[in-house]
Amino acid sequence: MQTTPQTTSSPLGHDHLRPGYHFLPRANWMNDPNGLIHWQGVYHLFYQYNPHGPFWGTIHWGHASSRDLVNWQHHPIALTPGPESYDQDGCWSGCAVDDAGTPTMLYTGKLHDQEMVCVARADARFDMLHKHPANPVIAQPPPGVATVGFRDPCVWREDGQWQMLLGSGIRGQGGAILRYTSPDLIHWEYQQPLCVGDGSLGDMWECPNFFALGDRHVLLVSILPQETVLAAIGTYHQGIFVPETWQRLDGGMAFYAPQVLRDQAQRQLCFAWLKEERDLPAQSAAGWAGVMSLPRTITMGDAMNLEIEPALELAQLRLNERTITRHLSQGERVMLPTSQHGQWEVELLAEPSAGTLTLAIEENGTALATVEVDLVRCVTRLCAPDGGAQEWLPFTLTPGMPLRLRCFFDRSVLECFVQGQASLTKRIYPHSQASTRPTLTYAGGLSDSLPLEVHVWDMLNATFDEIPTSHP
Ligand code: DQQ
């Protein structure tokens, strides 16, 4: 039986900042989630991985699998850059599709300045990916298009043919997503851009994801040079996407390069790379860098807004529930009784009211990060002493329903969900977990106090096992 975590086990030794229930490799560098697929009841998660150290470079595809999105098994490296080959400088990001019963990956081969589309197919055990002899299946951008970047394929099947999007930009114009079609995943024909920005939303769009949600389509892009993630909701017709609204997918700077997956229960799930927000010497000393976000579900809200919630499976990690029902007075500061081991979840329900509710993660009274919820304007943002204030994200309150704030803390990862609509993610690095606590304050309201119900849980370690040598 699992118990409350005392330490986080790692081949690197005890590390009070190493997450216990977020996925990360045993050591070294990871970035984008890749090739997400739910295959015969098992979730497969590939990711950008550098086996040579806790820094970006020599990018391989790492691989893990899970039956419940929470507990993972590490698999052998799935893709390695080939010597003197089209992917010698890295196997960059890409996706997975089911090609008539064969899990098939489309990824970015990197050779000097060139970015190319490549194909790899899984073997029966889903361990090795075999690179296709026809690689690269697209060797260069379409002629006559002045592209800025050409990478990160997103592929699906529609009307009897394969569709592929590539992240790009059009010089002098803005971020762009290019669309190709194919009968067989090997022979591709360029069609036209799915969507082109006007420059105000970045020069280059990386890691596109495109999917139907409700009666609309959603396009996710990770934009450069801003390094934020945007979601556009709009309509898709005859290969063209017309955005109606744009929003930030997460209000923090740690959250980047998300990838979505429609699972066998038809949930639209999402993982993202959570970057480090500490300096390189600290990453180097730790021996690891980068963490995967918690799995999140994305649904369409009533106001044609995206709703983002942590996956229900995470509830299996909860332990020792404490419930606090009280009024929070203006000017009062309430410290929540979270675990001393730095792994907890807090769910807070508050009567809708005027004023601003603030949850701060404090170490010995100093805020490492704060989440501000403005109940009048219905906006929320992250603030940090180092990174300043991030932009306000909107949410809506349903009449008669409480405000709901959920926060997950995992040693150096903070993920908050406001009203299941705005997510705020940040990395923070306390000196000691025992002296780090969330505190609540309330200010500026018309009434003297805010009625609250708060639930606090310790969060167990998830399990991260090696794949057994005799695989069934
Ligand atoms: N990371 C990959 C690229 C992608 C970028 C390289 C986004 O394929 O555009 O590691 O973080």
Side-chain angles (χ1 to χ4, degrees):
M1 199 189 117
Q2 289 170 306
T3 55
T4 304
Q6 301 292 325
T7 60
T8 301
S9 63
S10 143
L12 305 172
H14 173 67
D15 179 346
H16 77 284
L17 297 173
R18 186 177 164 88
Y21 61 91
H22 280 74
F23 175 82
L24 74 169
R26 284 161 301 220
N28 302 320
W29 168 275
M30 63 144 274
N31 57 295
D32 318 352
N34 290 154
L36 295 179
I37 190 165
H38 195 194
W39 191 262
Q40 297 172 348
V42 177
Y43 294 97
H44 289 267
L45 165 65
F46 299 84
Y47 54 91
Q48 297 277 281
Y49 177 58
N50 181 6
H52 303 303
F55 49 86
W56 186 86
T58 59
I59 292 294
H60 294 54
W61 274 33
H63 180 199
S65 66
S66 170
R67 289 194 171 270
D68 62 6
L69 296 167
V70 172
N71 300 295
W72 294 91
Q73 283 193 322
H74 290 292
H75 292 243
I77 285 176
L79 277 179
T80 299
E84 294 172 36
S85 159
Y86 49 82
D87 60 8
Q88 72 167 38
D89 295 319
C91 300
W92 284 16
S93 287
C95 65
V97 293
D98 175 358
D99 182 16
T102 302
T104 302
M105 314 290 149
L106 291 104
Y107 71 99
T108 309
K110 183 78 180 171
L111 175 63
H112 310 309
D113 288 343
Q114 244 178 303
E115 293 169 346
M116 293 170 271
V117 179
C118 303
V119 172
R121 296 189 190 274
D123 64 14
R125 287 171 38 152
F126 220 125
D127 277 346
M128 288 297 295
L129 298 180
H130 301 283
K131 296 179 189 177
H132 198 282
N135 281 344
V137 296
I138 306 179
Q140 60 206 3
V145 186
T147 54
V148 182
F150 186 68
R151 57 180 180 268
D152 309 336
C154 162
V155 179
W156 72 98
R157 201 156 170 84
E158 180 185 312
D159 294 339
Q161 61 179 351
W162 295 103
Q163 303 274 337
M164 172 165 57
L165 304 180
L166 286 171
S168 189
I170 295 181
R171 208 167 294 285
Q173 210 172 330
I177 300 299
L178 307 178
R179 189 175 68 87
Y180 286 73
T181 56
S182 168
D184 56 7
L185 295 172
I186 306 300
H187 302 90
W188 291 96
E189 192 180 339
Y190 176 60
Q191 300 298 331
Q192 79 271 71
L194 176 89
C195 179
V196 183
D198 62 5
S200 64
L201 302 176
D203 305 331
M204 198 265 153
W205 291 348
E206 303 187 287
C207 301
N209 284 261
F210 190 58
F211 51 96
L213 201 63
D215 60 0
R216 294 291 200 283
H217 271 72
V218 175
L219 174 68
L220 304 183
V221 285
S222 296
I223 71 169
L224 293 176
Q226 292 88 340
E227 296 190 40
T228 55
V229 180
L230 299 183
I233 300 175
T235 52
Y236 172 57
H237 186 57
Q238 293 190 334
I240 307 281
F241 174 66
V242 179
E244 294 167 57
T245 59
W246 287 93
Q247 65 184 80
R248 283 276 296 270
L249 190 63
D250 187 281
M253 294 304 293
F255 181 99
Y256 199 65
Q259 187 168 105
V260 301
L261 150 75
R262 193 174 287 273
D263 76 356
Q264 286 160 352
Q266 299 307 313
R267 290 183 298 177
Q268 196 71 53
L269 296 164
C270 165
F271 285 93
W273 166 35
L274 305 187
K275 300 179 184 184
E276 295 301 317
E277 295 186 279
R278 56 178 166 176
D279 60 22
L280 290 174
Q283 292 174 41
S284 199
W288 58 275
V291 178
M292 205 58 79
S293 72
L294 293 176
R296 302 169 173 203
T297 55
I298 302 181
T299 52
M300 185 66 83
D302 292 340
M304 222 186 69
N305 57 320
L306 296 184
E307 299 202 327
I308 300 160
E309 296 271 11
L312 294 175
E313 285 89 337
L314 290 159
Q316 68 188 272
L317 297 175
R318 288 170 167 176
L319 194 74
N320 297 336
E321 180 171 2
R322 280 87 79 197
T323 301
I324 302 147
T325 309
R326 56 149 28 240
H327 282 66
L328 180 63
S329 302
Q330 299 220 36
E332 192 185 4
R333 184 168 154 275
V334 171
M335 188 176 289
L336 298 177
T338 47
S339 137
Q340 302 218 340
H341 308 294
Q343 291 180 208
W344 47 259
E345 179 192 346
V346 164
E347 181 177 43
L348 177 151
L349 304 168
E351 291 294 320
S353 166
T356 298
L357 176 69
T358 301
L359 180 139
I361 311 297
E362 291 187 357
E363 179 164 32
N364 296 324
T366 302
L368 303 177
T370 58
V371 173
E372 292 177 20
V373 184
D374 180 330
L375 295 158
V376 179
R377 294 190 296 145
C378 290
V379 287
T380 184
R381 69 174 178 181
L382 261 174
C383 300
D386 53 347
Q390 296 298 313
E391 122 193 19
W392 291 100
L393 301 192
F395 61 88
T396 50
L397 286 171
T398 313
M401 298 292 282
L403 167 83
R404 197 161 57 89
L405 169 63
R406 284 180 79 187
C407 291
F408 293 81
F409 186 61
D410 191 4
R411 293 169 171 259
S412 58
V413 180
L414 177 67
E415 291 188 67
C416 298
F417 301 84
V418 181
Q419 209 60 7
Q421 294 170 29
S423 74
L424 305 168
T425 302
K426 175 141 187 70
R427 304 297 307 281
I428 54 179
Y429 304 95
H431 295 103
S432 136
Q433 299 294 352
S435 54
T436 302
R437 291 281 178 283
T439 61
L440 295 172
T441 50
Y442 171 58
L446 298 175
S447 61
D448 288 344
S449 65
L450 186 69
L452 290 182
E453 180 181 313
V454 185
H455 302 271
V456 178
W457 294 268
D458 300 341
M459 291 292 271
L460 293 166
N461 282 331
T463 59
F464 300 97
D465 296 330
E466 297 299 313
I467 191 91
T469 39
S470 58
H471 194 257

